Amino acid sequence: MTKVIDLEATVFTLVQQYPELKEILLNLGFSEIVNPIMFNTMGKIMTLKKGSKVKKIPLDQIIKTLEEKGFEVIHQPKFSSETKDTKVSREREALLKSYVQRLTQGEDMEAVRQDFKAHFKDVSAVEIARAEQALLQEGVKLKDVQKLCDVHSALFHGTTTRERRKETTAGFDQEIANKTEACIQERGHPLHILSLENRAIEEKVTHIQTILNQGTEISTLDKQLRELQEITRHYKKKQETIYPLLKVNYDYPGPSEVMWGVEDEIKTSLSHVLSHLDEKHRKALQLTLDRIHEMIYKEENILFPICVANFKEEEWLAMAKDFPTYGPCLMAEMPRWDRVKVEEDKLDLNDQEIQISGGHMSLAQLKAMLNTLPMEITLVDEKDINVYFNEGEKLFTRPQMALGRPVYSCHPMRVEPMVRLLIHDFKTGKRNSMHILSEKQGQDVLVNYYALRNKKGDYLGTLEAVQVVTGLKKAILKGKKGPIDL
């Protein structure tokens, strides 16, 4: 009888099924497996895929050993930086590191680009993406790896979208390349929507570049650049649905983290140029427009196939349901995917009463109350998992896909350490709340964070409550009393 090892099953489950596996894993480097406490706790949540990363044991080595011992290994990654056929050589990684160091030391970008083009002209963009992930895993700073995006764009200057896509096909299994193209062509599919938006972004960027090349004063581009700022909607679709899914569910953080960082830089640069529309910022605008073009390339030729190789049908459907939350980017509307069904309200047991110390109410009343409060509410449980968002329009978008995922996955790498520190302070009792006055979409916003505790003081989770205070601020400044318009 065939002995099957599921890489997505927990270590505890596998060892219970095949007791001889414990010694095999111990010899591979899973030393904690002989510790009963660790085995009965962490073993129940740790899979071999996750364990591979935590223990820094190459997944292909684990798979090879298990197959040599007579096991059939299922759920092997279709696209992984660890497979033999696609492993980036140490020499290439060393070269990439040298380029990062040269840029960090202030060397001219064009000189580094030319060297890169000479040494990497026969390397697919997919391999470069894998090298980026390897550099991050070795401790190279994200902001330094992001600089490679501007360097490896030299390989693709002067080629069309179709030509560039053909160039990168070699980095993936042909089946994945074909499926990617099919998804892009399927009306309403998330990749179809992102691709349509990319064409609109390309058109807008090319138009602005044409105006700049004609010598037109940059001050005349205010309207065009404000329209281009809709690119934020496009980026948020990826940042809040695709990137966390890759990182949390598929242990593939590299390209996502690099792209997220570059996209944030593009948004910041675009806003800065808009607030300083003078000739001094012409070069900065030209660079930003070039970076937008290159991110489109990387998105469609690297990110899309990675997603197709990993994402399940239900994940694509969940993504399609969340996309309308962000609105279309430079398009009148987004086409609807005919596979997406309109769901009925999930609230059940409307007549059931909730009895608490302050009184009682029905579940229907509780839902209405939470949705009526003039706040955007997020509840994170004691295990740092998003468990609830109230409904309604939001300044800070909250995709339903984020429910059930760690709260940290919803933030870019530069913000994640601050979120971790705040929740750590809540858990240890060092802090019970934090309040941040901010600005979002022209509105004054108060972001409140509270530690939730029971009567004993035990930590139950974190509550985030976002409130627009523009009207309140104006009323206070005017010294107004009585009814006010918030």
Side-chain angles (χ1 to χ4, degrees):
M1 186 170 119
T2 305
K3 297 186 293 184
V4 178
I5 295 292
D6 186 346
L7 292 179
E8 296 180 357
T10 66
V11 172
F12 180 87
T13 299
L14 292 173
V15 172
Q16 290 289 100
Q17 188 174 2
Y18 307 112
E20 69 272 25
L21 190 59
K22 181 176 284 191
E23 184 176 352
I24 297 172
L25 294 179
L26 176 63
N27 292 333
L28 277 167
F30 291 88
S31 54
E32 289 85 354
I33 200 167
V34 294
N35 182 323
I37 296 177
M38 292 294 288
F39 177 66
N40 286 288
T41 54
M42 292 302 296
K44 291 182 179 180
I45 60 174
M46 185 69 69
T47 66
L48 287 180
K49 279 185 179 179
K50 291 181 180 178
S52 167
K53 182 178 180 182
V54 172
K55 299 296 292 181
K56 300 189 184 304
I57 304 170
L59 189 59
D60 59 339
Q61 179 184 338
I62 296 173
I63 294 172
K64 181 181 178 182
T65 300
L66 292 173
E67 288 177 342
E68 288 175 348
K69 298 293 183 179
F71 293 95
E72 177 187 344
V73 182
I74 62 172
H75 285 138
Q76 297 186 30
K78 296 178 182 178
F79 176 70
S80 170
S81 58
E82 296 161 326
T83 58
K84 181 178 179 181
D85 292 337
T86 60
K87 188 175 181 181
V88 181
S89 71
R90 305 304 294 179
E91 291 81 6
R92 284 176 181 161
E93 286 182 30
L95 265 178
L96 288 174
K97 278 186 180 179
S98 73
Y99 298 146
V100 170
Q101 291 168 352
R102 288 165 61 182
L103 289 170
T104 304
Q105 292 166 3
E107 187 170 339
D108 180 66
M109 171 72 74
E110 196 54 40
V112 178
R113 273 181 172 169
Q114 292 307 314
D115 282 355
F116 180 92
K117 194 168 184 177
H119 289 97
F120 283 78
K121 62 181 179 180
D122 296 322
V123 180
S124 74
V126 178
E127 250 185 300
I128 296 167
R130 294 187 182 111
E132 288 176 349
Q133 176 151 316
L135 292 178
L136 287 172
Q137 291 173 337
E138 291 177 14
V140 178
K141 293 181 180 179
L142 175 63
K143 66 178 182 179
D144 292 332
V145 177
Q146 284 171 197
K147 295 175 182 177
L148 288 175
C149 283
D150 297 323
V151 175
H152 63 57
S153 64
L155 292 181
F156 315 108
H157 288 166
T159 58
T160 67
T161 300
R162 185 171 294 277
E163 288 170 341
R164 292 197 299 263
R165 190 172 294 156
K166 185 176 180 181
E167 283 292 316
T168 54
T169 299
F172 294 95
D173 181 280
Q174 186 60 47
E175 180 184 359
I176 296 302
N178 293 339
K179 285 183 178 179
T180 301
E181 189 63 33
C183 290
I184 291 173
Q185 297 301 325
E186 185 172 356
R187 179 179 172 80
H189 188 284
L191 296 191
H192 176 246
I193 291 172
L194 292 175
S195 183
L196 286 178
E197 292 183 344
N198 279 336
R199 302 292 76 77
I201 294 168
E202 279 181 332
E203 183 178 348
K204 176 63 70 176
V205 169
T206 300
H207 179 60
I208 295 173
Q209 288 176 321
T210 300
I211 295 174
L212 284 174
N213 292 337
Q214 291 171 347
T216 306
E217 290 187 8
I218 191 174
S219 58
T220 64
L221 291 172
D222 182 84
K223 181 176 182 293
Q224 299 290 340
L225 293 177
R226 291 193 185 283
E227 291 175 352
L228 182 57
Q229 280 193 308
E230 281 195 13
I231 200 171
T232 296
R233 299 180 182 179
H234 181 82
Y235 288 161
K236 284 178 74 68
K237 288 183 182 79
K238 296 186 295 175
Q239 293 171 355
E240 296 185 5
T241 63
I242 291 178
Y243 295 166
L245 193 60
L246 279 175
K247 182 176 181 178
V248 175
N249 288 25
Y250 297 99
D251 193 25
Y252 210 97
S256 302
E257 291 175 351
V258 174
M259 291 179 70
W260 193 330
V262 173
E263 288 163 357
D264 280 353
E265 288 179 355
I266 289 172
K267 290 187 294 183
T268 300
S269 177
L270 199 55
S271 296
H272 181 73
V273 170
L274 255 172
S275 61
H276 301 82
L277 279 177
D278 54 55
E279 292 306 308
K280 294 179 181 179
H281 292 82
R282 178 180 288 267
K283 186 175 181 180
L285 175 56
Q286 290 172 328
L287 174 60
T288 300
L289 297 175
D290 285 340
R291 297 187 87 189
I292 291 173
H293 271 305
E294 304 310 336
M295 288 308 294
I296 290 174
Y297 163 76
K298 194 166 187 177
E299 176 184 324
E300 295 191 343
N301 297 280
I302 298 175
L303 181 67
F304 283 10
I306 293 174
C307 295
V308 170
N310 289 285
F311 290 175
K312 302 179 180 70
E313 174 78 3
E314 58 266 27
E315 292 166 337
W316 287 121
L317 289 170
M319 201 178 300
K321 291 176 185 176
D322 278 329
F323 268 22
T325 303
Y326 304 96
C329 170
L330 297 173
M331 299 191 304
E333 60 181 5
M334 290 182 288
R336 183 178 177 277
W337 197 12
D338 58 14
R339 298 193 199 184
V340 176
K341 297 179 181 178
V342 178
E343 293 186 348
E344 298 294 327
D345 194 329
K346 293 182 178 179
L347 182 64
D348 295 322
L349 305 174
N350 285 342
D351 296 329
Q352 183 172 326
E353 291 281 311
I354 301 174
Q355 299 286 340
I356 53 178
S357 56
H360 64 90
M361 68 185 80
S362 69
L363 288 174
Q365 289 170 328
L366 175 60
K367 177 183 177 181
M369 180 177 71
L370 291 171
N371 290 338
T372 303
L373 289 172
M375 296 182 178
E376 299 175 15
I377 298 173
T378 296
L379 177 61
V380 179
D381 71 11
E382 74 281 5
K383 297 179 181 177
D384 308 340
I385 303 298
N386 295 318
V387 293
Y388 174 78
F389 307 135
N390 67 340
E391 299 172 86
E393 293 186 10
K394 291 180 170 60
L395 286 175
F396 295 87
T397 49
R398 296 288 185 268
Q400 290 296 298
M401 285 185 70
L403 292 174
R405 287 203 307 243
V407 63
Y408 311 115
S409 68
C410 301
H411 300 84
M413 281 189 69
R414 60 184 174 80
V415 176
E416 185 178 326
M418 293 180 277
V419 179
R420 288 186 179 276
L421 179 61
L422 175 62
I423 292 181
H424 175 268
D425 287 350
F426 281 174
K427 289 181 176 180
T428 59
K430 184 178 179 179
R431 185 193 293 265
N432 287 312
S433 65
M434 186 170 78
H435 312 277
I436 300 174
L437 193 58
S438 183
E439 187 272 340
K440 184 78 170 178
Q441 297 179 21
Q443 299 271 33
D444 293 305
V445 177
L446 181 62
V447 184
N448 304 282
Y449 299 95
Y450 300 99
L452 302 181
R453 306 187 192 281
N454 61 20
K455 289 185 177 180
K456 296 180 181 179
D458 299 326
Y459 175 77
L460 301 177
T462 293
L463 174 70
E464 179 191 65
V466 179
Q467 184 175 13
V468 176
V469 294
T470 304
L472 179 62
K473 178 181 175 182
K474 289 180 179 178
I476 292 174
L477 291 175
K478 291 180 179 179
K480 188 173 181 179
K481 305 294 182 181
I484 62 173
D485 183 5
L486 292 177

